[in-house]
Amino acid sequence: MSTPAPTCWPCLSYQDAPAAVRFLVEAFGFTEHLVVPGEADGEVVHCEMVWPEGGGVMLGSAVRSTGEVEATKPGAGSVYVVTDRPDELHARSLVRGAVEVRGLRDEEYGSRGFTVADPEGNRWSFGTYRGA
């Protein structure tokens, strides 16, 4: 049985979307799938980042010359990502500049995970919990 294509996409805005794309690739291991540049230098109107274990996120520049009139405020997002590799990702993300919010730990309900903030303040939780 194959994993179905994602049908729910968290969406985030960044002041520096190209830097956010690089950070998500380097710190967490997302794959850049599609980037639609805007008219202004460094502007990203739409970007899809794929999570190698299934799913993904979309992001874009907070200030856009085309597309959405109002974007989500940068740093206001919070995303939970399921992974079988929380220990590895915790170490990798801290080395690449993520700020620890909640350290790596085991939860009483059986999950292992952590929470960090990206350079613009969006919070990313990674853990083994796949939902009830």
Side-chain angles (χ1 to χ4, degrees):
M1 185 162 107
S2 65
T3 303
T7 57
C8 181
W9 292 84
C11 299
L12 303 169
S13 293
Y14 288 91
Q15 291 296 332
D16 187 346
V21 169
R22 287 189 304 276
F23 177 82
L24 295 178
V25 169
E26 295 170 5
F28 301 147
F30 277 88
T31 301
E32 185 179 318
H33 181 68
L34 172 69
V35 177
V36 179
E39 296 173 5
D41 186 41
E43 177 185 21
V44 175
V45 174
H46 175 74
C47 175
E48 294 176 18
M49 304 292 293
V50 176
W51 181 240
E53 296 180 60
V57 298
M58 293 184 189
L59 65 90
S61 296
V63 177
R64 301 176 191 182
S65 57
T66 61
E68 286 184 40
V69 175
E70 291 183 37
T72 305
K73 180 180 173 188
S78 178
V79 180
Y80 178 79
V81 183
V82 175
T83 182
D84 292 327
R85 306 173 294 119
D87 295 68
E88 173 191 332
L89 284 171
H90 180 254
R92 175 181 178 161
S93 67
L94 294 179
V95 166
R96 290 182 172 79
V99 176
E100 189 169 65
V101 174
R102 183 180 55 83
L104 183 64
R105 67 182 184 208
D106 294 318
E107 302 293 351
E108 55 190 55
Y109 52 90
S111 179
R112 180 165 179 78
F114 66 95
T115 301
V116 294
D118 67 27
E120 292 200 25
N122 292 301
R123 293 193 176 197
W124 294 83
S125 295
F126 292 86
T128 58
Y129 182 71
R130 295 183 177 275

